[in-house]
Amino acid sequence: MMTLKVNGRDHRIDADPDTPLLYVLREDLKLNAAKFGCGLGQCGSCTVIVDGKAVLSCVTPLLLLEGKQVTTLEGLGSIEAPSPIQRAFIEEQAAQCGYCIPGMMMQAQALLQRNLRPSDEQIRAALEPNLCRCGTHMRILRAVHRAAALMQTADASTAQGSAQ
């Protein structure tokens, strides 16, 4: 039995320590945004954020996560109140089949948490582990830039409000 902190909440998990995080997220916690793509850490469909870093949950065993914060796409926002990255992907219509998009969004979120002004090359490098066959790459790139702008605006508003 271990405690796993996911999306800000503690969950008691009774699973083998070698169990991949993806299985616990989908089967035990019913968080289905992270997808099972290849099971080998080669496609990025299962990407989540662990302590601010993009991680492939299909190859990350539970034993490495004790005391760490796991964030899934469900933890970023909701249908009623989407996060900037979710909103940007919707507005840019960056999803086609949608299978890879949760992983792309989480990889982009991790990048934007480190760098709110990424270049096209930095975005491409960050998203390189994520495979997509649909051909929406240019819309995905625009969505990441849009999310960065939304996050910059939110940061500026927060800073301005605290200065008053």
Side-chain angles (χ1 to χ4, degrees):
M1 189 72 79
M2 74 175 282
T3 300
L4 186 62
K5 190 172 197 103
V6 179
N7 299 332
R9 294 184 50 217
D10 288 335
H11 301 273
R12 296 290 294 154
I13 305 296
D14 187 15
D16 185 295
D18 290 326
T19 303
L21 171 62
L22 178 63
Y23 298 170
V24 170
L25 293 174
R26 292 183 62 81
E27 295 170 17
D28 297 332
L29 303 181
K30 306 301 182 213
L31 298 171
N32 294 313
K35 305 292 185 238
F36 182 91
C38 66
L40 302 170
Q42 296 177 350
C43 73
S45 294
C46 66
T47 305
V48 297
I49 297 174
V50 177
D51 286 349
K53 182 179 178 199
V55 170
L56 301 170
S57 65
C58 74
V59 294
T60 302
L62 290 178
L63 63 92
L64 298 179
L65 300 170
E66 187 82 48
K68 297 188 179 196
Q69 171 61 48
V70 177
T71 305
T72 68
L73 187 60
E74 294 94 340
L76 296 183
S78 66
I79 291 172
E80 300 79 24
S83 70
I85 194 77
Q86 292 167 321
R87 195 169 126 206
F89 270 69
I90 292 165
E91 291 170 354
E92 290 295 335
Q93 298 179 0
Q96 191 161 339
C97 85
Y99 204 82
C100 70
I101 294 301
M104 293 267 195
M105 292 169 109
M106 296 307 289
Q107 193 72 256
Q109 178 72 23
L111 169 66
L112 295 177
Q113 287 174 349
R114 295 186 315 271
N115 178 4
L116 270 181
R117 297 188 192 317
S119 66
D120 285 354
E121 293 74 28
Q122 290 169 318
I123 295 169
R124 285 186 177 105
L127 297 180
E128 192 263 331
N130 297 71
L131 301 179
C132 172
R133 294 183 176 183
C134 293
T136 64
H137 296 87
M138 295 312 293
R139 285 186 262 164
I140 291 169
L141 192 63
R142 284 194 310 266
V144 176
H145 281 296
R146 181 183 289 245
L150 291 169
M151 292 167 83
Q152 291 168 26
T153 301
D155 281 356
S157 296
T158 303
Q160 189 175 33
S162 64
Q164 294 176 356

